Amino acid sequence: MALNRDEWDEIPDSDLHETIVERIEGLGEMFPDSLRSLVHSTVSWSSWGVKGLVIWIVSTTSLIAFLPYIIEKERSDLEKTQVAQQRQMLLGPSAAIQQAKTA
């Protein structure tokens, strides 16, 4: 009984060079389309979730890191404005202008 041999059977295994992508595609063909589409959608949603999580982590970390600086800067500016208003009330408008020029 003669076997029907494919031309690939004639080539020694050492001469066949297969990339990882080709191997994964070949392995993927073993599974039904429904399973492949389920895995694809799961991976797709997972990557979307990971990206969202990374964006959330970066944004909250930067907010926590820079918020104290922003609050302190605003407090300092408010304090300078109050001091200038007090000077203006005590010494007149020219003193506040003089103070702004030297600062």
Side-chain angles (χ1 to χ4, degrees):
M1 179 178 199
L3 293 175
N4 187 6
R5 296 191 67 163
D6 194 358
E7 65 181 48
W8 291 105
D9 291 336
E10 305 290 327
I11 302 172
D13 289 341
S14 61
D15 291 343
L16 293 175
H17 299 288
E18 185 177 41
T19 65
I20 301 239
V21 175
E22 291 172 338
R23 185 167 292 219
I24 290 172
E25 285 177 359
L27 289 172
E29 292 173 356
M30 293 182 350
F31 302 105
D33 287 336
S34 59
L35 181 62
R36 282 188 277 171
S37 66
L38 176 68
V39 169
H40 180 269
S41 64
T42 302
V43 169
S44 181
W45 277 100
S46 297
S47 68
W48 176 80
V50 167
K51 288 176 189 175
L53 181 65
V54 167
I55 290 171
W56 183 79
I57 289 172
V58 168
S59 63
T60 55
T61 301
S62 63
L63 182 68
I64 290 170
F66 293 115
L67 193 60
Y69 170 76
I70 293 169
I71 291 172
E72 185 62 28
K73 175 90 168 102
E74 190 67 29
R75 190 192 63 74
S76 173
D77 291 345
L78 180 64
E79 187 177 295
K80 286 179 185 178
T81 304
Q82 287 175 345
V83 167
Q85 286 176 348
Q86 287 175 352
R87 270 181 85 80
Q88 182 180 6
M89 289 173 70
L90 292 174
L91 303 174
S94 61
I97 294 171
Q98 183 71 18
Q99 171 72 23
K101 287 181 180 177
T102 59

